[in-house]
């Protein structure tokens, strides 16, 4: 199964937007019970999600629910929602220990697939343990909350260390490439592309979206260019016809180059990137 590269958030208390989000072109939607929903509206949001999901269970692979964090007063009720439905993909905010993931899967059942949000210093410190936990689907970097937790200045340099740790932990645990955080600037295409390019430099292969406008921008940015496709085709053609050392554009072709070319053409075939 092709892993999503766009995850579009939708407030859990706005059920009139759920269908629109599903049709907006995102690979997956995230029905949000956390930041987007006030404490007074949490119960209504859970009911709305349960009712809507019952009519859209065939889309389960595209539906994620972000519950409230394990230290919050709403955590137990969120787990009860998951247990009472067939919802299996769970985004867990402020994940800091493997035990929190085990708690989610133990309360729901072992079918749950968890996307831990790494958004605190403790989460980064324990990221290897978190990535290796049973039931983890892929890691997600909550850049905004991480910035708040460490009182960062806003310079992207402050994200270099945690982004590297998250990407390396993902690879060591043989997870899909991690998911980059949101870009608050909805209409700033240049900012969205810059944030994505920054994340891609560390090996991130997906991104959170807060508005449907961002989805197409991310898909376009991750789609191989005609020049990349032509290069990949040349590399594979030369590699297939050569019994020894070969060159393309004056550069030697070795196994990593061939693997990169194969990955580019696979992205072209899928119309997405991972």
């Amino acid at each position: 199964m092709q892993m999503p590269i766009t995850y579009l958030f939708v407030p859990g208390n706005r059920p009139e937007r759920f269908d629109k989000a599903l049709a907006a072109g995102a690979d997956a939607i995230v029905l949000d019970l956390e930041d987007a929903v006030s404490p007074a509206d949490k119960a209504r949001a859970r009911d709305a999600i349960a009712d809507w999901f019952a009519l859209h269970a065939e889309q389960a692979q595209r539906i994620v629910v972000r519950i409230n964090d394990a230290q919050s007063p709403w955590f137990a009720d969120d787990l009860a929602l998951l247990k009472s439905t067939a919802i299996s993909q769970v985004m867990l905010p402020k994940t800091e220990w493997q035990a929190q993931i085990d708690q989610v899967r133990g309360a729901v059942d072992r079918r749950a697939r968890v996307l831990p949000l790494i958004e605190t210093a403790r989460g980064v410190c324990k990221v290897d343990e978190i990535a290796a936990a049973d039931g983890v689907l892929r890691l997600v970097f909550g850049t905004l909350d991480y910035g708040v937790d460490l009182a960062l200045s806003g310079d992207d340099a402050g994200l270099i260390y945690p982004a590297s740790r998250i990407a390396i932990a993902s690879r060591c645990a043989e997870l899909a490439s991690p998911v980059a955080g949101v870009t608050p600037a909805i209409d700033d295409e240049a900012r969205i592309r810059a944030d994505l390019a920054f994340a891609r430099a560390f090996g991130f292969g997906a991104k959170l979206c807060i508005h449907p406008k961002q989805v197409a921008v991310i898909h376009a940015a991750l789609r191989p260019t005609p020049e990349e496709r032509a290069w990949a085709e040349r590399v594979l053609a030369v590699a297939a016809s050569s019994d020894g050392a070969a060159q393309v554009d004056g550069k030697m072709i070795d196994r990593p180059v061939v693997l990169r070319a194969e990955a580019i053409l696979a992205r072209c075939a899928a119309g997405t990137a991972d």
Side-chain angles (χ1 to χ4, degrees):
M1 182 186 70
Q2 183 75 25
M3 292 295 290
I5 63 166
T6 48
Y7 290 82
L8 175 61
F9 277 114
V10 192
N13 60 342
R14 300 297 300 271
E16 73 278 6
R17 296 185 182 178
F18 294 175
D19 285 330
K20 294 177 182 177
L22 205 57
D27 302 308
I29 65 169
V30 184
L31 305 178
D32 191 14
L33 286 169
E34 195 207 16
D35 290 345
V37 181
S38 69
D41 228 8
K42 301 282 190 187
R44 188 170 75 87
R46 281 190 291 270
D47 290 342
I49 289 172
D51 292 344
W52 182 83
F53 186 83
L55 301 175
H56 297 81
E58 77 284 354
Q59 297 278 358
Q61 292 301 314
R62 294 183 60 207
I63 299 170
V64 180
V65 172
R66 179 166 74 169
I67 61 176
N68 291 276
D69 72 83
Q71 305 301 314
S72 75
W74 309 287
F75 184 62
D77 288 336
D78 290 350
L79 294 184
L81 163 69
L82 300 175
K83 189 171 184 178
S84 68
T85 65
I87 296 170
S88 60
Q89 296 191 81
V90 187
M91 190 172 289
L92 179 62
K94 297 178 177 61
T95 307
E96 297 180 337
W97 298 281
Q98 175 183 337
Q100 294 168 321
I101 298 166
D102 295 340
Q103 189 176 359
V104 170
R105 299 187 79 224
V108 181
D109 64 35
R110 308 314 286 184
R111 66 179 165 77
R113 310 299 292 174
V114 182
L115 292 90
L117 263 165
I118 308 300
E119 47 190 347
T120 64
R122 289 192 182 95
V124 172
C125 185
K126 295 289 187 179
V127 70
D128 297 302
E129 170 188 313
I130 292 167
D134 288 341
V136 170
L137 185 60
R138 68 196 306 184
L139 302 181
V140 186
F141 190 11
T143 49
L144 298 184
D145 279 290
Y146 180 82
V148 171
D149 189 48
L150 276 78
L152 299 183
S153 68
D155 189 317
D156 283 348
L159 302 177
I160 291 174
Y161 177 76
S164 298
R165 285 287 308 272
I166 291 168
I168 292 169
S170 296
R171 185 69 188 97
C172 290
E174 299 185 348
L175 300 176
S177 55
V179 184
V182 302
T183 297
I186 294 173
D187 295 311
D188 190 342
E189 182 173 330
R191 181 71 256 172
I192 296 168
R193 286 178 172 270
D195 286 351
L196 179 61
F198 180 83
R200 287 290 294 142
F202 299 97
F204 283 65
K207 186 167 171 57
L208 301 176
C209 306
I210 57 173
H211 193 280
K213 291 180 181 179
Q214 298 179 328
V215 172
V217 175
I218 294 165
H219 281 159
L222 287 174
R223 189 177 302 122
T225 65
E227 292 77 15
E228 288 175 318
R229 179 170 187 161
W231 172 85
E233 289 172 342
R234 290 201 308 275
V235 166
L236 296 187
V238 170
S241 63
S242 175
D243 294 328
Q247 296 184 21
V248 168
D249 299 337
K251 296 182 180 179
M252 294 297 297
I253 299 174
D254 55 11
R255 180 167 172 73
V257 174
V258 171
L259 291 176
R260 183 186 171 207
E262 290 175 344
I264 288 173
L265 292 185
R267 286 161 53 196
C268 290
T272 56
D274 184 13

